[in-house]
Amino acid sequence: LANLNWTQIFLSSTNRSQWELDRLMMLNADMALVREFEVEKDNKPGNKAGRVLCPLLANNESQSTCPFANITKTFVEQYKDNERLWLHDFKEVFTAMLVNGYNASYCGAS
């Protein structure tokens, strides 16, 4: 995921962006698990809401890329080859969230 040549495309039908690689599709939320980036938020005509403002892979040596998301990338690396671990951890967290609810402030909401 992190080092593949994903292409961000803009869907005019939804006014949103998504990532494609061959026949696979990812959203910004998926890509944010391995990269840190800012997105274009302005929905004014001509702007592409959700467009990532830095490339995932550099086209040349002088081009900087979106930095790796140090905290979440570690989890992605743990889970990428261990589906059983991911399912176990997801079940535990999802069950706790359903039973106890969650604090929106942990999600960046105000």
Side-chain angles (χ1 to χ4, degrees), residues 41-95:
K41 297 176 185 171
D42 192 352
N43 248 351
K44 291 180 183 173
N47 289 351
K48 296 179 177 180
R51 181 178 63 92
V52 170
L53 302 175
C54 59
L56 297 185
L57 295 177
N59 292 327
N60 57 56
E61 290 181 21
S62 64
Q63 185 179 28
S64 61
T65 60
C66 301
F68 285 106
N70 293 325
I71 296 171
T72 52
K73 184 176 181 274
T74 302
F75 290 105
V76 171
E77 289 172 343
Q78 286 177 350
Y79 295 140
K80 75 176 184 173
D81 295 322
N82 193 338
E83 183 179 7
R84 180 172 285 186
L85 175 64
W86 184 86
L87 289 171
H88 173 269
D89 290 354
F90 178 82
K91 177 185 169 194
E92 296 294 319
V93 171
F94 190 65
T95 300

